[in-house]
Amino acid sequence: MRIGIVGGGLMGLALAQRLTARHHEVTVFERDRQLGGLATYHDYGPFFWDRFYHCILPSDTHLIRFLTDIGLGDELRWRRTLTGFYVDEQFYSMSTSREFLRFPPVALWGKLRLALTILYCSRIDDWRRLESVPVEAWLLRTCGRRTYEKIWKPLLLAKLGESYRRVSAVFIWSYIKRLFSARHSSGKKEHLGHVSGGYKAVFDRVGALIRGGGGDIRTDVAVTRIEPAAGGGMWVDYDDERAHFDKVVFTSPVSVLERVTAPELLRVDTPGGTVEYLGVVCMVLVTRRPLVPYFVVNIADARIPFTGVIGMSNLVAVEETGGRHITYLPKYVLSDDPLLRCPDEELRELFFDGLRRMLPEFKRAEIEGVHINRAIKVQPLQVLNYSRLVPQVATAHDDFLVLNTSQFVNCTLNNNEVVRAVDEFVAAYGATLDCRDPVPAG
Ligand SMILES: Cc1cc2nc3c(=O)[nH]c(=O)nc-3n(C[C@H](O)[C@H](O)[C@H](O)COP(=O)(O)OP(=O)(O)OC[C@H]3O[C@@H](n4cnc5c(N)ncnc54)[C@H](O)[C@@H]3O)c2cc1C
């Protein structure tokens, strides 16, 4: 069957690989010059690495199975990583239970409540009851005011700005659950992983498998219209051309879906009006020495203009990155925030001021490269009762299907969930697309 796939992010490419393995003839359309979407790579000069920081958790079973299926299972690298905390102008390691117990900013009783909150969170399965509870009220109730003011509030401000007041407790529940699964599945010590070569290696491999299986990948091509063909199947318009497919699967964001799809193909109900999105601006530094010994430093200090420090070289061996260290300084903001459109030079100065405050001994001359990466729409703001407000997408034609992350309501945006969604989609629709056995990939 000829299947057109709109979107060459991980969702579209994983789907294309799964369908190619089932002998379908796929064509992927990707608007950008390179594949990968939010998980794509960047040219840092001496090396390529992810545009935004990505890590793999030992509990990411769907993603790990996919990587194994495409022949990259042996390229997975795991490392014991450390988590830091920046509060009261000090760095604290929070990587072991002992360090947690010693953590000075919170008193013993506060620590006990904090530990119980995390344990409680990891045991909650019925996330729907958290949806109507504001995250602030929930954290105050579980951890107490002092720990909330000292730790959680600055963290919420760093991650969500003032919008944290409108966000539900599902936000913190999904965050804690995912992060702590990195410890649970590996003897309580945090272990994280990556693929050797980063996500570039993943997209190069998937691309080769799709092309090797007779599929086509067209980059730098924006789909402008999808409409039903009179004799069955779908027309896809792009640039000044059009192509016919038996089926089309759309994997890009809902805002694009509504713009390019013929109205009779689709019904989008938006019970909550327009969904607000978070975007991210991320300054990436390439240096000869590491800035911090941690993979992640959580920042609980409202004066620092970025959300955290991601010391990628504490996860990825420097041989992978041309002997250099790579550090990401992300800041999440609402997608209409002026910071996302702020000129690079201004942003650089703002972030360097924050860095000087945190690391007074760090010299700007040590920096070999500065890169500023932005994404306007990363994930929806999980406001109160978000699952009831999320756009409900229903397709009205057998040959047109939608599979995208807009329906993720109870998890952080991550690639394990992306692959899970692809595999569930193939399990649900695979039989209607074909009845032959898949051939193994790789
Ligand atoms: C800062 C940051 C850190 C992250 N860290 C992690 C992490 O540590 N671990 C993890 O698992 N995940 C992480 N993620 C999430 C991960 O990147 C996403 O889960 C994943 O990239 C989503 O893939 P997708 O294909 O669903 O969407 P996208 O990547 O958004 O892909 C959609 C694609 O559609 C294309 N498109 C749009 N319009 C058109 C059109 N008209 N025609 C053709 N193509 C079009 C876009 O260009 C894009 O490539 C992180 C994300 C960010 C931003």
Side-chain angles (χ1 to χ4, degrees):
M1 191 172 277
R2 296 193 69 224
I3 303 176
I5 296 176
V6 182
L10 185 68
M11 186 84 89
L13 291 170
L15 179 67
Q17 183 275 327
R18 295 306 200 208
L19 295 178
T20 303
R22 297 173 85 104
H23 309 286
H24 294 292
E25 197 185 324
V26 302
T27 300
V28 177
F29 295 95
E30 168 52 46
R31 185 186 56 190
D32 287 347
R33 281 212 193 118
Q34 63 188 44
L35 293 175
L38 289 174
T40 198
Y41 48 91
H42 182 82
D43 182 355
Y44 290 100
F47 60 95
F48 284 92
W49 201 257
D50 302 356
R51 179 177 290 164
F52 301 109
Y53 48 96
H54 283 79
C55 65
I56 300 172
L57 272 53
S59 54
D60 284 347
T61 49
H62 299 272
L63 178 59
I64 293 169
R65 187 171 348 105
F66 170 71
L67 294 170
T68 306
D69 288 349
I70 63 170
L72 292 179
D74 289 342
E75 300 302 312
L76 274 164
R77 306 281 179 268
W78 297 98
R79 229 194 220 189
R80 163 100 171 92
T81 46
L82 304 178
T83 295
F85 227 91
Y86 181 78
V87 58
D88 296 338
E89 301 188 347
Q90 297 279 331
F91 285 89
Y92 297 97
S93 181
M94 283 274 264
S95 311
T96 62
S97 310
R98 192 180 298 169
E99 284 169 351
F100 176 73
L101 286 172
R102 275 207 306 253
F103 187 54
V106 179
L108 193 62
W109 173 235
K111 277 178 207 147
L112 192 66
R113 287 184 77 175
L114 191 58
L116 287 173
T117 301
I118 289 164
L119 193 69
Y120 173 54
C121 232
S122 66
R123 304 245 159 123
I124 297 177
D125 287 324
D126 179 14
W127 55 273
R128 283 190 191 272
R129 67 193 165 91
L130 299 177
E131 267 212 306
S132 54
V133 186
V135 66
E136 180 174 43
W138 192 79
L139 286 170
L140 276 170
R141 199 164 65 226
T142 52
C143 292
R145 180 156 296 278
R146 188 171 152 71
T147 308
Y148 174 75
E149 295 287 346
K150 197 78 198 166
I151 304 291
W152 290 115
K153 188 173 172 184
L155 280 180
L156 289 175
L157 272 168
K159 290 218 173 279
L160 301 164
E162 286 297 328
S163 316
Y164 81 89
R165 295 176 201 281
R166 294 184 287 129
V167 165
S168 84
V170 173
F171 170 79
I172 210 73
W173 168 78
S174 56
Y175 183 76
I176 290 177
K177 213 167 159 88
R178 179 164 165 79
L179 275 191
F180 279 78
S181 68
R183 294 192 181 183
H184 263 278
S185 39
S186 49
K188 306 277 188 255
K189 289 197 170 134
E190 183 181 278
H191 277 81
L192 297 174
H194 69 91
V195 174
S196 177
Y199 267 93
K200 183 174 190 306
V202 176
F203 296 125
D204 286 351
R205 173 62 62 93
V206 186
L209 287 174
I210 295 167
R211 290 190 178 105
D216 187 11
I217 297 176
R218 301 186 192 174
T219 50
D220 209 5
V221 160
V223 167
T224 50
R225 178 90 180 156
I226 304 167
E227 60 184 37
M234 290 284 136
W235 287 114
V236 171
D237 293 358
Y238 57 98
D239 298 339
D240 289 330
E241 297 187 46
R242 80 177 349 200
H244 180 265
F245 296 97
D246 302 313
K247 304 264 179 201
V248 168
V249 188
F250 186 94
T251 72
S252 300
V254 172
S255 53
V256 183
L257 177 71
E258 288 182 277
R259 209 169 54 234
V260 304
T261 310
E264 67 269 27
L265 283 182
L266 186 77
R267 220 188 54 240
V268 182
D269 286 340
T270 43
T274 319
V275 171
E276 290 173 272
Y277 274 81
L278 288 173
V280 69
V281 43
C282 192
M283 185 162 97
V284 191
L285 301 180
V286 177
T287 53
R288 284 277 179 187
R289 69 173 181 101
L291 266 65
V292 290
Y294 311 101
F295 175 64
V296 173
V297 178
N298 295 298
I299 298 174
D301 184 332
R303 294 165 304 175
I304 304 296
F306 35 86
T307 307
V309 179
I310 318 296
M312 192 49 94
S313 320
N314 299 309
L315 169 62
V316 177
V318 287
E319 293 75 37
E320 296 258 12
T321 50
R324 273 60 162 197
H325 293 261
I326 175 165
T327 306
Y328 295 74
L329 306 175
K331 174 72 183 167
Y332 291 87
V333 286
L334 281 178
S335 59
D336 58 0
D337 193 290
L339 197 72
L340 279 164
R341 281 133 196 116
C342 176
D344 282 6
E345 196 45 50
E346 257 177 61
L347 212 100
R348 229 176 270 167
E349 293 313 311
L350 180 72
F351 278 31
F352 276 134
D353 279 351
L355 206 54
R356 258 194 300 275
R357 191 182 278 274
M358 283 181 85
L359 299 167
E361 76 288 0
F362 181 74
K363 300 279 172 300
R364 208 161 156 166
E366 295 180 50
I367 298 172
E368 281 193 7
V370 183
H371 304 256
I372 302 220
N373 298 326
R374 297 175 173 81
I376 306 289
K377 284 189 177 179
V378 173
Q379 66 182 106
L381 189 69
Q382 279 176 333
V383 291
L384 292 176
N385 300 312
Y386 175 70
S387 74
R388 279 178 258 159
L389 307 177
V390 72
Q392 301 296 322
V393 178
T395 53
H397 196 292
D398 285 348
D399 298 333
F400 183 60
L401 300 154
V402 174
L403 170 68
N404 64 17
T405 55
S406 72
Q407 306 301 311
F408 290 9
V409 291
N410 63 346
C411 55
T412 61
L413 177 69
N414 65 73
N415 288 335
N416 189 53
E417 291 301 325
V418 167
V419 176
R420 183 211 295 263
V422 167
D423 286 342
E424 285 176 359
F425 177 89
V426 173
Y429 295 101
T432 64
L433 299 175
D434 77 277
C435 44
R436 282 172 291 177
D437 288 336
V439 288

